[in-house]
Amino acid sequence: MQIVSEEPHKNYISVFAAIPRFLNALWELVRSFILPYRKGADYKEPWLLILLRWYGLILPGLSAHTPQDYVNLTRLGPDTIYHRLQDPKFGGVSNSDATKE
């Protein structure tokens, strides 16, 4: 944890804060067209979501956390993540440890 004298991105509408958000929105738009070709038709996004990503270029941050992003994150994540979270060596807590208390 870090103690700072003032909050980061205090001026949310700053030009310097908008540039990374714009680049992120641009990457999300490009990714929405690339992902179905690289991973298969199951990752094709509906046109409404693509339209939202276009609007995200005008209002950066609008399309940053759609449910489709979280579904794709879960589907494209490594298969071993669940096992690593259950392993005490990595700091995870298994269900059996929680029931012993």
Side-chain angles (χ1 to χ4, degrees):
M1 181 188 271
Q2 181 181 8
I3 299 174
V4 293
S5 59
E6 64 179 67
E7 61 186 85
H9 304 297
K10 184 176 181 180
N11 188 2
Y12 188 78
I13 307 187
S14 168
V15 174
F16 297 114
I19 292 171
R21 289 187 193 103
F22 175 79
L23 292 174
N24 186 32
L26 181 65
W27 169 244
E28 288 178 0
L29 178 65
V30 170
R31 186 187 63 197
S32 69
F33 291 109
I34 293 175
L35 202 57
Y37 292 108
R38 294 200 64 211
K39 298 295 182 179
D42 289 342
Y43 293 94
K44 184 172 170 121
E45 294 184 351
W47 285 104
L48 183 63
L49 187 56
I50 291 175
L51 183 65
L52 178 70
R53 293 195 191 280
W54 277 104
Y55 282 121
L57 294 175
I58 299 168
L59 298 170
L62 181 67
S63 64
H65 301 283
T66 63
Q68 185 75 27
D69 292 329
Y70 292 108
V71 170
N72 288 343
L73 173 73
T74 305
R75 292 173 70 194
L76 294 173
D79 295 338
T80 59
I81 190 76
Y82 178 76
H83 299 295
R84 290 185 70 190
L85 290 173
Q86 296 299 319
D87 190 356
K89 180 172 71 174
F90 292 105
V93 177
S94 67
N95 291 337
S96 61
D97 291 339
T99 57
K100 288 180 183 176
E101 294 177 359

